[in-house]
Amino acid sequence: MYKLKMKDTEYEIKFGYKPTLKANLISRMIQAGSNVSQQGEGSETLLQVEEMLLLIPEIILVGLQKNHRDEFGYDYDTDEGKTTALDKVFDMMDDYFEEESADILQLYNDLQNEMLSEGFLKSMFQREMAEQKKSNKKNTKKTPQN
């Protein structure tokens, strides 16, 4: 379990089966990870960073469902209450960025590592990563050379 401290509050991040799958979190994280690993230029890089900044609060929200559902809970099937809960996480992120030690890439990596430490998520995540790498290699080979 990953402990995330924001201001004076410590949150226990643990990825439950249903909220993780209903949020399509694994595929979204893999896509974000592959986008960041492909070095872009200028505005493309900024778009990748923006994608990550939008994804991190959703990752945190899903991780809060197991142990902090009373404060951050929402209906996984209808997404009822998700906007309100996500707004609370965005407010937490504001607090996070006020700290001098704030490192968004480290936070993302810590959250990803927490997902990888979970049994069912670990194997699913690794399979998805392997598929993404295969797909990226195929796309790279198909790109015509000038």
Side-chain angles (χ1 to χ4, degrees), residues 66-122:
K66 188 87 170 165
N67 294 314
H68 302 279
R69 188 158 172 72
D70 55 330
E71 184 179 354
F72 295 95
Y74 67 94
D75 186 306
Y76 313 134
D77 295 318
T78 65
D79 283 345
E80 184 179 339
K82 184 176 182 180
T83 301
T84 302
L86 195 54
D87 284 345
K88 290 179 188 178
V89 177
F90 274 107
D91 289 343
M92 287 170 51
M93 296 305 297
D94 281 336
D95 293 340
Y96 175 79
F97 284 117
E98 288 176 5
E99 297 174 15
E100 284 185 36
S101 62
D103 183 342
I104 196 66
L105 287 175
Q106 185 61 51
L107 177 59
Y108 180 82
N109 287 332
D110 289 347
L111 292 167
Q112 185 175 11
N113 288 337
E114 177 59 27
M115 284 188 84
L116 288 174
S117 72
E118 296 292 320
F120 83 94
L121 291 175
K122 181 178 180 178

Side-chain angles (χ1 to χ4, degrees), residues 121-136:
L121 291 175
K122 181 178 180 178
S123 61
M124 287 174 53
F125 198 85
Q126 289 173 338
R127 276 195 304 261
E128 283 290 325
M129 284 294 273
E131 288 298 318
Q132 185 70 31
K133 284 181 183 178
K134 279 185 195 176
S135 176
N136 286 345

Side-chain angles (χ1 to χ4, degrees), residues 25-38 48 51 55 108 125 128-129 132 136:
L25 202 53
I26 297 168
S27 58
R28 292 171 66 201
M29 286 182 76
I30 289 168
Q31 183 63 42
S34 69
N35 286 344
V36 169
S37 67
Q38 298 171 3
Q48 292 168 349
E51 268 182 49
L55 181 58
Y108 180 82
F125 198 85
E128 283 290 325
M129 284 294 273
Q132 185 70 31
N136 286 345

